[in-house]
Amino acid sequence: MNLYEKIITLLYNYLPKKKIKESRDDLLRDYYNQKYPTVPIYYHGRYIYNTRRRINVDVRDFFTLEDGNLKNIVKSLKLGSMTDNQKAVACLKWVITHIPYKSDISNYGVTDFWGLPFETIAEGSGDCEDLSILLANLMLISGIPDWKIRIVAGYVFEPISKRQVGHCYTVMFDSETEKWKVLDACFYPNLKLMKDREEYKKEKMYQDIWFSFNNKFSFAKNDGDIRNMKDVNLIK
């Protein structure tokens, strides 16, 4: 537990009971929204229609939270009285069950294409970033606070080839254990309860991070992380 989290815990212990959860969540939200620099991140994962010319897109534009199709999926899951943790696993289960992994070459004829949620649903398949974007959208629409959700782009360790490969996946802050947990729909997919998942920073297969984002903020440790993205393709 770092110093900031210790201060939060101290304040938490002195708050009136009816304000404890709300005040603690506000403090955690502000802490995690400010922990890393927030900078605009533009990824070249889209193409001008019927051309091979790539265009850079602000990664936050991949959230389409008013999409009726997504709202209907969330409604069908009947998440009503579920906790945020239960909602997250239910959304993950839907993505794993309904949207199998398929490469961008197979779906779009290019090596790297970031599909919007409705495109991924229409294709009925997608690669790592497609599934992660769809999952994060469903989680947000289900009512999970935005500060608890991040889409992460970085490296994972591939055990067969014994090398790092580019990957995109979703992480969420588990309020019950106060740890960030991985929700991966394709590379290391599983439907474990949130409480049974390993803390994100202890997951050895998930390694160097390039950047992360949600619908409001995009994060990177320095500007170099952004400039280097022009040379990177997510390959799994």
Side-chain angles (χ1 to χ4, degrees), residues 208-224:
D208 298 336
I209 295 173
W210 306 327
F211 61 87
S212 64
F213 64 98
N214 58 26
N215 60 314
K216 290 185 178 178
F217 299 104
S218 45
F219 307 88
K221 292 182 179 179
N222 57 65
D223 289 342

PDB file of all heavy atoms in Angstrom, residues 208-224:
ATOM      1  N   ASP A 208       5.562  -5.024 -20.365  1.00  0.00           N
ATOM      2  CA  ASP A 208       5.674  -3.577 -20.571  1.00  0.00           C
ATOM      3  C   ASP A 208       4.413  -2.983 -21.204  1.00  0.00           C
ATOM      4  O   ASP A 208       3.878  -3.507 -22.184  1.00  0.00           O
ATOM      5  CB  ASP A 208       6.868  -3.264 -21.471  1.00  0.00           C
ATOM      6  CG  ASP A 208       8.177  -3.703 -20.851  1.00  0.00           C
ATOM      7  OD1 ASP A 208       8.232  -3.804 -19.615  1.00  0.00           O
ATOM      8  OD2 ASP A 208       9.145  -3.948 -21.599  1.00  0.00           O
ATOM      9  N   ILE A 209       3.983  -1.850 -20.664  1.00  0.00           N
ATOM     10  CA  ILE A 209       2.795  -1.144 -21.153  1.00  0.00           C
ATOM     11  C   ILE A 209       3.217   0.009 -22.052  1.00  0.00           C
ATOM     12  O   ILE A 209       4.132   0.761 -21.717  1.00  0.00           O
ATOM     13  CB  ILE A 209       1.966  -0.611 -19.972  1.00  0.00           C
ATOM     14  CG1 ILE A 209       1.415  -1.772 -19.133  1.00  0.00           C
ATOM     15  CG2 ILE A 209       0.814   0.274 -20.475  1.00  0.00           C
ATOM     16  CD1 ILE A 209       0.735  -1.317 -17.857  1.00  0.00           C
ATOM     17  N   TRP A 210       2.527   0.158 -23.191  1.00  0.00           N
ATOM     18  CA  TRP A 210       2.771   1.308 -24.058  1.00  0.00           C
ATOM     19  C   TRP A 210       1.871   2.471 -23.640  1.00  0.00           C
ATOM     20  O   TRP A 210       2.326   3.577 -23.456  1.00  0.00           O
ATOM     21  CB  TRP A 210       2.486   0.959 -25.514  1.00  0.00           C
ATOM     22  CG  TRP A 210       3.221  -0.248 -26.005  1.00  0.00           C
ATOM     23  CD1 TRP A 210       4.470  -0.655 -25.607  1.00  0.00           C
ATOM     24  CD2 TRP A 210       2.760  -1.208 -26.953  1.00  0.00           C
ATOM     25  NE1 TRP A 210       4.816  -1.808 -26.259  1.00  0.00           N
ATOM     26  CE2 TRP A 210       3.798  -2.170 -27.091  1.00  0.00           C
ATOM     27  CE3 TRP A 210       1.604  -1.350 -27.715  1.00  0.00           C
ATOM     28  CZ2 TRP A 210       3.678  -3.256 -27.971  1.00  0.00           C
ATOM     29  CZ3 TRP A 210       1.486  -2.420 -28.581  1.00  0.00           C
ATOM     30  CH2 TRP A 210       2.516  -3.364 -28.707  1.00  0.00           C
ATOM     31  N   PHE A 211       0.592   2.184 -23.530  1.00  0.00           N
ATOM     32  CA  PHE A 211      -0.360   3.208 -23.102  1.00  0.00           C
ATOM     33  C   PHE A 211      -1.646   2.527 -22.641  1.00  0.00           C
ATOM     34  O   PHE A 211      -1.850   1.330 -22.857  1.00  0.00           O
ATOM     35  CB  PHE A 211      -0.654   4.211 -24.232  1.00  0.00           C
ATOM     36  CG  PHE A 211      -1.276   3.598 -25.472  1.00  0.00           C
ATOM     37  CD1 PHE A 211      -2.651   3.435 -25.586  1.00  0.00           C
ATOM     38  CD2 PHE A 211      -0.483   3.196 -26.534  1.00  0.00           C
ATOM     39  CE1 PHE A 211      -3.229   2.882 -26.719  1.00  0.00           C
ATOM     40  CE2 PHE A 211      -1.042   2.642 -27.687  1.00  0.00           C
ATOM     41  CZ  PHE A 211      -2.425   2.490 -27.774  1.00  0.00           C
ATOM     42  N   SER A 212      -2.505   3.299 -21.982  1.00  0.00           N
ATOM     43  CA  SER A 212      -3.814   2.790 -21.567  1.00  0.00           C
ATOM     44  C   SER A 212      -4.832   3.922 -21.703  1.00  0.00           C
ATOM     45  O   SER A 212      -4.461   5.101 -21.789  1.00  0.00           O
ATOM     46  CB  SER A 212      -3.775   2.264 -20.127  1.00  0.00           C
ATOM     47  OG  SER A 212      -3.496   3.311 -19.214  1.00  0.00           O
ATOM     48  N   PHE A 213      -6.108   3.559 -21.715  1.00  0.00           N
ATOM     49  CA  PHE A 213      -7.129   4.598 -21.892  1.00  0.00           C
ATOM     50  C   PHE A 213      -8.503   4.086 -21.476  1.00  0.00           C
ATOM     51  O   PHE A 213      -8.735   2.874 -21.384  1.00  0.00           O
ATOM     52  CB  PHE A 213      -7.168   5.081 -23.347  1.00  0.00           C
ATOM     53  CG  PHE A 213      -7.568   4.035 -24.370  1.00  0.00           C
ATOM     54  CD1 PHE A 213      -8.862   3.966 -24.846  1.00  0.00           C
ATOM     55  CD2 PHE A 213      -6.636   3.131 -24.859  1.00  0.00           C
ATOM     56  CE1 PHE A 213      -9.232   3.012 -25.790  1.00  0.00           C
ATOM     57  CE2 PHE A 213      -6.986   2.177 -25.811  1.00  0.00           C
ATOM     58  CZ  PHE A 213      -8.289   2.119 -26.270  1.00  0.00           C
ATOM     59  N   ASN A 214      -9.399   5.027 -21.217  1.00  0.00           N
ATOM     60  CA  ASN A 214     -10.826   4.741 -21.100  1.00  0.00           C
ATOM     61  C   ASN A 214     -11.569   5.798 -21.909  1.00  0.00           C
ATOM     62  O   ASN A 214     -10.968   6.443 -22.775  1.00  0.00           O
ATOM     63  CB  ASN A 214     -11.269   4.676 -19.629  1.00  0.00           C
ATOM     64  CG  ASN A 214     -10.975   5.947 -18.851  1.00  0.00           C
ATOM     65  OD1 ASN A 214     -10.880   7.040 -19.409  1.00  0.00           O
ATOM     66  ND2 ASN A 214     -10.818   5.810 -17.550  1.00  0.00           N
ATOM     67  N   ASN A 215     -12.837   5.979 -21.652  1.00  0.00           N
ATOM     68  CA  ASN A 215     -13.608   6.906 -22.476  1.00  0.00           C
ATOM     69  C   ASN A 215     -13.297   8.370 -22.186  1.00  0.00           C
ATOM     70  O   ASN A 215     -13.626   9.249 -22.993  1.00  0.00           O
ATOM     71  CB  ASN A 215     -15.103   6.657 -22.291  1.00  0.00           C
ATOM     72  CG  ASN A 215     -15.547   6.837 -20.861  1.00  0.00           C
ATOM     73  OD1 ASN A 215     -14.900   6.341 -19.928  1.00  0.00           O
ATOM     74  ND2 ASN A 215     -16.658   7.527 -20.636  1.00  0.00           N
ATOM     75  N   LYS A 216     -12.643   8.654 -21.058  1.00  0.00           N
ATOM     76  CA  LYS A 216     -12.375  10.042 -20.681  1.00  0.00           C
ATOM     77  C   LYS A 216     -10.908  10.435 -20.770  1.00  0.00           C
ATOM     78  O   LYS A 216     -10.584  11.579 -21.067  1.00  0.00           O
ATOM     79  CB  LYS A 216     -12.888  10.305 -19.266  1.00  0.00           C
ATOM     80  CG  LYS A 216     -14.404  10.315 -19.160  1.00  0.00           C
ATOM     81  CD  LYS A 216     -14.849  10.704 -17.769  1.00  0.00           C
ATOM     82  CE  LYS A 216     -16.375  10.772 -17.680  1.00  0.00           C
ATOM     83  NZ  LYS A 216     -16.829  11.111 -16.308  1.00  0.00           N
ATOM     84  N   PHE A 217     -10.014   9.499 -20.465  1.00  0.00           N
ATOM     85  CA  PHE A 217      -8.593   9.822 -20.392  1.00  0.00           C
ATOM     86  C   PHE A 217      -7.760   8.787 -21.141  1.00  0.00           C
ATOM     87  O   PHE A 217      -8.129   7.619 -21.225  1.00  0.00           O
ATOM     88  CB  PHE A 217      -8.112   9.856 -18.937  1.00  0.00           C
ATOM     89  CG  PHE A 217      -8.805  10.876 -18.074  1.00  0.00           C
ATOM     90  CD1 PHE A 217      -9.771  10.478 -17.164  1.00  0.00           C
ATOM     91  CD2 PHE A 217      -8.497  12.223 -18.168  1.00  0.00           C
ATOM     92  CE1 PHE A 217     -10.419  11.406 -16.361  1.00  0.00           C
ATOM     93  CE2 PHE A 217      -9.135  13.163 -17.374  1.00  0.00           C
ATOM     94  CZ  PHE A 217     -10.099  12.753 -16.469  1.00  0.00           C
ATOM     95  N   SER A 218      -6.613   9.248 -21.640  1.00  0.00           N
ATOM     96  CA  SER A 218      -5.605   8.329 -22.177  1.00  0.00           C
ATOM     97  C   SER A 218      -4.302   8.621 -21.431  1.00  0.00           C
ATOM     98  O   SER A 218      -3.952   9.767 -21.172  1.00  0.00           O
ATOM     99  CB  SER A 218      -5.439   8.502 -23.684  1.00  0.00           C
ATOM    100  OG  SER A 218      -5.372   9.861 -24.067  1.00  0.00           O
ATOM    101  N   PHE A 219      -3.591   7.544 -21.086  1.00  0.00           N
ATOM    102  CA  PHE A 219      -2.456   7.632 -20.185  1.00  0.00           C
ATOM    103  C   PHE A 219      -1.190   7.060 -20.811  1.00  0.00           C
ATOM    104  O   PHE A 219      -1.233   6.025 -21.474  1.00  0.00           O
ATOM    105  CB  PHE A 219      -2.725   6.836 -18.895  1.00  0.00           C
ATOM    106  CG  PHE A 219      -4.010   7.197 -18.187  1.00  0.00           C
ATOM    107  CD1 PHE A 219      -5.204   6.569 -18.519  1.00  0.00           C
ATOM    108  CD2 PHE A 219      -4.018   8.149 -17.181  1.00  0.00           C
ATOM    109  CE1 PHE A 219      -6.387   6.886 -17.862  1.00  0.00           C
ATOM    110  CE2 PHE A 219      -5.187   8.474 -16.516  1.00  0.00           C
ATOM    111  CZ  PHE A 219      -6.380   7.843 -16.857  1.00  0.00           C
ATOM    112  N   ALA A 220      -0.078   7.720 -20.566  1.00  0.00           N
ATOM    113  CA  ALA A 220       1.230   7.186 -20.937  1.00  0.00           C
ATOM    114  C   ALA A 220       2.269   7.849 -20.052  1.00  0.00           C
ATOM    115  O   ALA A 220       2.082   8.977 -19.593  1.00  0.00           O
ATOM    116  CB  ALA A 220       1.538   7.431 -22.403  1.00  0.00           C
ATOM    117  N   LYS A 221       3.368   7.146 -19.804  1.00  0.00           N
ATOM    118  CA  LYS A 221       4.381   7.674 -18.886  1.00  0.00           C
ATOM    119  C   LYS A 221       5.175   8.818 -19.487  1.00  0.00           C
ATOM    120  O   LYS A 221       5.657   9.687 -18.783  1.00  0.00           O
ATOM    121  CB  LYS A 221       5.318   6.547 -18.443  1.00  0.00           C
ATOM    122  CG  LYS A 221       4.633   5.520 -17.560  1.00  0.00           C
ATOM    123  CD  LYS A 221       5.602   4.439 -17.108  1.00  0.00           C
ATOM    124  CE  LYS A 221       4.906   3.439 -16.204  1.00  0.00           C
ATOM    125  NZ  LYS A 221       5.819   2.354 -15.769  1.00  0.00           N
ATOM    126  N   ASN A 222       5.336   8.824 -20.802  1.00  0.00           N
ATOM    127  CA  ASN A 222       6.036   9.941 -21.430  1.00  0.00           C
ATOM    128  C   ASN A 222       5.646  10.037 -22.897  1.00  0.00           C
ATOM    129  O   ASN A 222       5.059   9.115 -23.467  1.00  0.00           O
ATOM    130  CB  ASN A 222       7.554   9.790 -21.291  1.00  0.00           C
ATOM    131  CG  ASN A 222       8.056   8.477 -21.866  1.00  0.00           C
ATOM    132  OD1 ASN A 222       7.960   8.250 -23.070  1.00  0.00           O
ATOM    133  ND2 ASN A 222       8.583   7.602 -21.018  1.00  0.00           N
ATOM    134  N   ASP A 223       5.968  11.169 -23.499  1.00  0.00           N
ATOM    135  CA  ASP A 223       5.566  11.410 -24.884  1.00  0.00           C
ATOM    136  C   ASP A 223       6.171  10.415 -25.856  1.00  0.00           C
ATOM    137  O   ASP A 223       5.606  10.132 -26.899  1.00  0.00           O
ATOM    138  CB  ASP A 223       5.968  12.828 -25.311  1.00  0.00           C
ATOM    139  CG  ASP A 223       5.113  13.887 -24.631  1.00  0.00           C
ATOM    140  OD1 ASP A 223       4.039  13.521 -24.131  1.00  0.00           O
ATOM    141  OD2 ASP A 223       5.535  15.048 -24.595  1.00  0.00           O
ATOM    142  N   GLY A 224       7.345   9.867 -25.532  1.00  0.00           N
ATOM    143  CA  GLY A 224       7.990   8.903 -26.413  1.00  0.00           C
ATOM    144  C   GLY A 224       7.134   7.685 -26.649  1.00  0.00           C
ATOM    145  O   GLY A 224       7.159   7.095 -27.717  1.00  0.00           O
TER     146      GLY A 224
END
